[in-house]
């Protein structure tokens, strides 16, 4: 297998978590930040306050929140988010290490062993070259992001893979068919919809950079409950990706 660390003109400053162009010094906004601008706003303060005011004896109240104040609910959400991020980072780093060592790596940590088994179970087409944690960028749009795995299948086509470790992976919105904001109201506000737009944006930027064509996009979803990985095909929303870049460019120009 051919695999290497990508080195290019854009790098990620890890402390501030900012993408910077090495030659020009221009700071690029992240794809995830741009995506957040088209997602419906979640008012954590209002929701947590409403939950705290619910009667603890009500059968409709989530048992996890019984007896908690608003501040405690917010702290609980932050703890869940931090724990999930740490867990997800562990899975990401395990697969990255495994690939960079060309699979000659045999950890003793049980979760790492299962994560590697999960990767192998996907039967990934590893093409002619693989780039773990590959920075995708567009100088034209001054936008960047990091794809978990970019695979040059050959000299013409490429695939993009991404590792997700969410507690749940929904293919539709669970709260009344809520969608993303205009002009993406045809995309549901759920993991599948958001990841489709995110990974399609990575694919479109890679097409702009290399001239290659996107063949396949997929998510390697790690289910924490059963500790297994499954491959979820993702549609290439090329026109939506281009539209997101154009919106970002317009908003950037308007802010000057």
């Amino acid at each position: 297998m051919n695999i290497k660390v990508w080195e290019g003109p854009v790098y990620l400053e890890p402390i501030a978590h900012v993408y910077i162009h090495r030659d020009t010094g221009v700071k690029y906004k992240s794809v995830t930040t741009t995506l957040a601008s088209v997602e419906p706003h979640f008012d954590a303060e209002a929701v947590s306050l409403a939950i705290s005011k619910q009667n603890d004896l009500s059968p409709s109240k989530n048992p996890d929140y019984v007896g908690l104040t608003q501040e405690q609910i917010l702290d609980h959400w932050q703890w869940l988010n931090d724990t999930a991020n740490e867990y997800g980072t562990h899975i990401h780093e395990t697969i990255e290490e495994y690939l960079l060592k060309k699979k000659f790596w045999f950890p003793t940590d049980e979760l790492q062993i299962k994560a590697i088994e999960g990767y192998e179970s996907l039967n990934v087409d590893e093409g002619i070259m693989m780039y773990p944690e590959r920075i995708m960028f567009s100088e034209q749009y001054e936008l960047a992001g990091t794809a978990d795995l970019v695979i040059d299948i050959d000299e013409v086509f490429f695939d993009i893979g991404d590792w997700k470790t969410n507690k749940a992976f929904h293919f539709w919105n669970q709260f009344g068919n809520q969608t993303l904001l205009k002009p993406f109201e045809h995309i549901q506000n759920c993991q599948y919809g958001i990841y489709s737009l995110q990974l399609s944006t990575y694919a479109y930027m890679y097409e702009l950079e290399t001239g290659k064509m996107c063949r396949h996009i997929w998510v390697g979803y790690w289910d924490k409950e059963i500790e297994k990985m499954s491959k979820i095909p993702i549609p290439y929303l090329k026109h939506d990706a281009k539209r997101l870049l154009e919106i970002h460019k317009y908003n950037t120009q308007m802010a000057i």
Side-chain angles (χ1 to χ4, degrees):
M1 61 184 300
N2 292 316
I3 186 166
K4 64 180 180 181
V5 176
W6 178 80
E7 295 181 359
V10 177
Y11 71 96
L12 177 63
E13 199 289 304
I15 298 178
H17 201 79
V18 175
Y19 292 96
I20 303 174
H21 196 289
R22 299 180 192 277
D23 299 326
T24 65
V26 174
K27 295 181 179 179
Y28 289 3
K29 195 171 184 179
S30 72
V31 171
T32 51
T33 300
T34 302
L35 276 172
S37 70
V38 300
E39 295 178 39
H41 174 64
F42 175 71
D43 193 336
E45 292 289 336
V47 174
S48 60
L49 179 60
I51 293 174
S52 69
K53 289 184 175 181
Q54 282 182 315
N55 189 329
D56 285 346
L57 299 179
S58 172
S60 63
K61 185 165 185 175
N62 188 324
D64 292 342
Y65 304 131
V66 171
L68 298 186
T69 64
Q70 180 189 15
E71 184 178 351
Q72 289 171 327
I73 292 172
L74 289 170
D75 288 343
H76 177 65
W77 288 348
Q78 186 62 54
W79 176 81
L80 288 175
N81 184 68
D82 293 342
T83 302
N85 287 339
E86 290 175 6
Y87 186 94
T89 298
H90 189 53
I91 297 295
H92 278 71
E93 291 180 346
T94 294
I95 298 175
E96 180 185 10
E97 186 78 3
Y98 177 62
L99 294 177
L100 288 176
K101 291 187 176 179
K102 301 186 184 296
K103 302 185 179 181
F104 287 98
W105 183 52
F106 308 96
T108 57
D109 178 272
E110 185 176 350
L111 181 57
Q112 289 181 316
I113 293 172
K114 289 181 178 179
I116 290 170
E117 291 174 349
Y119 169 81
E120 290 295 345
S121 73
L122 301 184
N123 296 315
V124 174
D125 184 342
E126 298 178 342
I128 61 173
M129 182 62 70
M130 295 202 296
Y131 302 93
E133 299 298 312
R134 208 280 195 183
I135 292 179
M136 318 294 267
F137 68 97
S138 170
E139 294 185 359
Q140 176 185 353
Y141 294 100
E142 295 185 358
L143 197 68
T146 302
D148 293 337
L149 186 62
V150 176
I151 307 171
D152 284 334
I153 298 301
D154 49 35
E155 297 300 335
V156 178
F157 297 102
F158 68 90
D159 292 354
I160 288 183
D162 206 74
W163 317 117
K164 300 299 184 185
T165 59
N166 310 60
K167 183 178 180 181
F169 193 107
H170 295 302
F171 291 85
W172 64 91
N173 185 271
Q174 305 294 294
F175 306 99
N177 197 34
Q178 186 185 67
T179 68
L180 300 184
L181 304 179
K182 291 182 178 181
F184 305 105
E185 67 271 25
H186 55 287
I187 301 175
Q188 289 209 25
N189 181 31
C190 61
Q191 286 88 359
Y192 186 71
I194 294 169
Y195 296 155
S196 294
L197 185 54
Q198 175 193 8
L199 301 183
S200 293
T201 302
Y202 291 161
Y204 181 61
M205 289 195 294
Y206 197 62
E207 284 192 350
L208 292 177
E209 178 192 348
T210 66
K212 294 189 175 187
M213 293 184 288
C214 178
R215 186 191 74 156
H216 183 36
I217 304 174
W218 50 265
V219 162
Y221 174 61
W222 177 257
D223 190 319
K224 296 179 184 179
E225 298 297 322
I226 61 174
E227 295 187 321
K228 299 288 184 180
M229 188 173 285
S230 58
K231 182 185 285 186
I232 300 175
I234 295 293
Y236 182 22
L237 307 179
K238 183 173 182 175
H239 295 295
D240 289 313
K242 183 177 181 180
R243 183 176 295 180
L244 184 69
L245 292 179
E246 292 291 348
I247 290 173
H248 164 71
K249 183 177 181 180
Y250 174 80
N251 290 337
T252 300
Q253 291 174 341
M254 291 297 293
I256 296 177

